[in-house]
Amino acid sequence: RRYWFDNRKHIDQPFERRSTYTMDEISPLLDKKEVLSQCEKIFYFTLGTLALAGGIGSTTIASLNLLTDFTNFPLHAYAIFFGLVITVLEANRFLAHPHLAEYMKNAVKFQMLIEEYARLFATTWGRALLYLFEAFLLLTSGGWMDWLGFLYMVTLAVFAILLAMSTGKKLNSLKDVMKEMSRGTSMNDVEFIQKKFDDWDKDNSGHIDSAELRDLCIACGIPLSGAEAEVAYNILDTDRNGKIDKKEFVVWWKTQSRAWA
């Protein structure tokens, strides 16, 4: 399943599975763009960016409809409310941006509150259902902006569902590969996964960032696209602080695998 890459040529030599690997062995995998998922070209924009734009756009359209059509006040109010919910649910994805981090910290508090009372929205496929619901709320007035918003949110929902399927499948494969690697060691599963966490925490910060998570997946022969990496990071980052610590990594390891993220 996994092969070495030398320059730009594929060498038909299977990647030997062992409990540990040297950086010299792994670096060819990390340096070659050929191992990145082909869907990187298709999924250029991350889901968080698109959802944030959709939330802001939906709220704007619904607000304009409310000003011109009071007869459907409840529906417009619902569209505004859920548009704001969609926007807030993407807050933690932007904590890594230095210019946005300070503004997003307060929004993350509301995000965690929403996810606490509506656990469905903590998942990517659950948010896809929210995007569909918002899409149909926008059709209340039937204007051209409403149809434009409807088409955007439906497309976003389909994109989210596809990402949930592909990311869930890859994370399950990652677990399978790492479990197979742990069989040749004297460590139990938890000890092994903690050691792998330390191995891939390259800056010894106690956290794994998005780049380190992608490098780990590449080294295990399961590369993630940028959009998939964002979804995977959102799954592991349960406290929504923009970082994955060792405890969260172990919790993900112990959690039953899901087909959809």
Side-chain angles (χ1 to χ4, degrees):
R1 292 172 52 188
R2 294 180 291 169
Y3 298 90
W4 289 107
F5 291 91
D6 184 17
N7 296 326
R8 295 184 179 178
K9 299 179 180 178
H10 297 261
I11 299 179
D12 294 330
Q13 177 184 355
F15 187 89
E16 180 185 358
R17 289 179 177 172
R18 303 195 303 275
S19 60
T20 60
Y21 302 95
T22 66
M23 286 306 298
D24 290 337
E25 292 174 320
I26 293 175
S27 58
L29 289 171
L30 302 182
D31 296 337
K32 302 303 178 182
K33 293 182 179 180
E34 289 90 339
V35 300
L36 295 178
S37 172
Q38 290 299 318
C39 64
E40 181 77 59
K41 298 177 181 179
I42 302 174
F43 298 159
Y44 180 79
F45 295 102
T46 61
L47 179 63
T49 304
L50 295 174
L52 183 65
I56 295 174
S58 297
T59 304
T60 303
I61 293 173
S63 299
L64 293 174
N65 288 339
L66 182 61
L67 294 175
T68 58
D69 180 20
F70 286 100
T71 58
N72 291 309
F73 173 82
L75 294 177
H76 296 323
Y78 278 128
I80 292 173
F81 173 76
F82 285 108
L84 291 174
V85 168
I86 291 172
T87 303
V88 171
L89 284 174
E90 307 305 325
N92 71 298
R93 301 184 194 263
F94 297 91
L95 286 174
H97 295 269
H99 301 294
L100 298 176
E102 289 299 323
Y103 300 99
M104 290 298 175
K105 286 182 180 179
N106 291 328
V108 169
K109 296 179 181 179
F110 289 103
Q111 177 185 359
M112 295 187 67
L113 185 65
I114 293 171
E115 292 180 353
E116 180 181 355
Y117 288 97
R119 294 296 302 168
L120 181 67
F121 296 156
T123 65
T124 303
W125 66 269
R127 293 183 186 183
L129 298 179
L130 178 61
Y131 304 153
L132 280 176
F133 182 68
E134 178 71 5
F136 285 101
L137 283 177
L138 292 176
L139 285 180
T140 304
S141 297
W144 67 269
M145 283 196 305
D146 303 312
W147 278 102
L148 184 63
F150 170 81
L151 292 175
Y152 182 92
M153 297 305 292
V154 168
T155 303
L156 181 62
V158 173
F159 178 46
I161 291 174
L162 292 175
L163 270 182
M165 295 172 62
S166 64
T167 307
K169 181 178 179 180
K170 288 188 177 183
L171 287 179
N172 291 343
S173 298
L174 178 63
K175 278 187 181 181
D176 293 339
V177 170
M178 297 184 74
K179 285 180 181 178
E180 187 172 336
M181 292 167 61
S182 67
R183 291 174 184 170
T185 68
S186 59
M187 296 179 287
N188 59 42
D189 286 350
V190 175
E191 292 174 342
F192 176 79
I193 201 65
Q194 289 176 335
K195 184 180 184 304
K196 297 306 292 182
F197 181 93
D198 293 333
D199 291 342
W200 287 101
D201 179 19
K202 300 174 186 177
D203 55 2
N204 297 317
S205 63
H207 302 90
I208 288 182
D209 60 27
S210 182
E212 290 169 336
L213 177 63
R214 292 188 71 182
D215 288 348
L216 187 155
C217 293
I218 290 173
C220 291
I222 307 171
L224 300 176
S225 71
E228 290 170 336
E230 184 195 49
V231 172
Y233 205 83
N234 195 59
I235 294 172
L236 273 68
D237 180 24
T238 55
D239 62 3
R240 302 300 189 237
N241 67 347
K243 302 174 182 177
I244 300 173
D245 58 33
K246 186 180 294 186
K247 181 180 179 181
E248 290 173 326
F249 200 65
V250 172
V251 169
W252 165 75
W253 174 263
K254 292 181 177 181
T255 304
Q256 183 178 2
S257 298
R258 298 175 180 177
W260 288 24

